[in-house]
Amino acid sequence: MNVLIVHAHPEPRSFNRALLDTAVRTLGEQGHQVVVSDLYAMGFNPVAGPDDFSERRFPDALQYDREQKQASQRGSFVPDIQQEIDKLLACDLLILQFPLWWFSVPAILKGWIDRVFVNGLVYGAGGKRFDQGGLRGRRAMLSFTTGCFPAMMDSDGLLGERDVILWHLQHGVFGYSGLQVLPPFVGWAIQYSDEAQRAAYLDAYAQRLRGIEGDSPMPTHPLADFGPDWRLKPEVAPRTAGHRRAHGEA
């Protein structure tokens, strides 16, 4: 299996780095091929803009998604984007490794998504979305650390339920692109954890990765479950629990 890990933490001695090193070592021991994009170490540019294309379809006013579509057809992305696209298309499993900041990913990782999950290849024309997305046949998971304790992300917790907080990533990025979404791995309250707890997290992550090929994707709805008004057909029941919660339903 080919695995791409996109790592986004500015401190090379961070616990996120320890999780990355654990993943590279464990997956390698299992015979998988691992490629890492360490965004801070690479100096990856997260800012989408007109210089992302070697030629332009609309030179007078930037229409970024439409320029991505043309670049997908003509191979006119600049090298730093094309290199990451090539890594993405070559992988069987994508792992995003990051600290949870403001209920989301660090800006450098959001910029990677903006510039690499491109219109025309990952989503777009011809109905490329969700189970028909350009990355179908591949799987993805989030691995991240938090500053909060697990109870704070329970359904009645202070911050809201974990999978609702992650909906924009797991459904809106992974799912929309056709990726099958594996349950996330979470290192909780790292700054409040002692060495024994941190070691336990690393052991748990290694154990998880040893069996990653047998992991079942989180449930979702294929496009066929939706009617012409883009609402679930009445006969489709029940909705997944995550879908109900993320839409504020009981």
Side-chain angles (χ1 to χ4, degrees):
M1 182 170 65
N2 295 322
V3 183
L4 171 60
I5 307 177
V6 183
H7 174 65
H9 199 293
E11 174 51 62
R13 297 171 297 179
S14 68
F15 189 70
N16 271 269
R17 180 70 200 203
L19 287 167
L20 171 65
D21 292 343
T22 296
V24 171
R25 181 178 64 255
T26 303
L27 291 166
E29 290 170 351
Q30 298 300 114
H32 303 302
Q33 302 299 312
V34 184
V35 173
V36 175
S37 287
D38 187 340
L39 299 184
Y40 282 98
M42 293 162 56
F44 183 79
N45 173 21
V47 181
D51 294 334
D52 289 352
F53 314 99
S54 61
E55 60 183 56
R56 292 275 300 278
R57 181 182 178 188
F58 303 101
D60 296 331
L62 180 63
Q63 301 179 53
Y64 194 76
D65 62 329
R66 299 181 76 185
E67 294 293 354
Q68 284 186 329
K69 182 178 179 180
Q70 173 170 280
S72 295
Q73 297 168 343
R74 300 171 67 95
S76 53
F77 290 107
V78 294
D80 71 320
I81 296 177
Q82 189 61 57
Q83 289 165 8
E84 296 304 301
I85 291 172
D86 292 343
K87 295 177 190 178
L88 179 63
L89 296 180
C91 81
D92 303 300
L93 171 65
L94 169 66
I95 300 174
L96 302 186
Q97 179 65 60
F98 60 96
L100 193 70
W101 288 354
W102 285 110
F103 293 66
S104 190
V105 297
I108 197 169
L109 181 50
K110 178 55 166 63
W112 183 87
I113 294 169
D114 290 345
R115 298 180 74 220
V116 177
F117 273 52
V118 296
N119 186 12
L121 290 177
V122 172
Y123 74 96
K128 287 182 180 176
R129 54 185 161 191
F130 296 113
D131 60 310
Q132 300 302 313
L135 298 180
R136 63 188 180 276
R138 301 169 178 84
R139 300 192 297 169
M141 67 176 285
L142 304 175
S143 173
F144 62 94
T145 58
T146 76
C148 71
F149 296 96
M152 298 168 73
M153 284 193 188
D154 282 344
S155 58
D156 58 352
L158 174 68
L159 302 179
E161 189 165 355
R162 184 198 69 184
D163 288 341
V164 175
I165 291 172
L166 300 176
W167 182 259
H168 67 294
L169 297 170
Q170 296 187 144
H171 182 74
V173 177
F174 288 168
Y176 193 80
S177 305
L179 291 160
Q180 292 183 318
V181 186
L182 302 181
F185 181 85
V186 188
W188 298 99
I190 292 303
Q191 65 265 50
Y192 305 113
S193 301
D194 59 20
E195 289 302 315
Q197 180 59 66
R198 294 185 181 199
Y201 279 137
L202 295 177
D203 289 344
Y205 192 38
Q207 184 63 29
R208 168 79 187 278
L209 293 174
R210 291 187 190 104
I212 196 71
E213 290 183 286
D215 266 14
S216 297
M218 298 170 70
T220 188
H221 286 285
L223 286 178
D225 282 356
F226 295 84
D229 60 353
W230 299 112
R231 299 180 65 85
L232 279 169
K233 296 174 182 176
E235 64 269 23
V236 177
R239 297 186 181 189
T240 65
H243 192 290
R244 293 196 303 270
R245 290 193 294 266
H247 286 86
E249 299 169 359

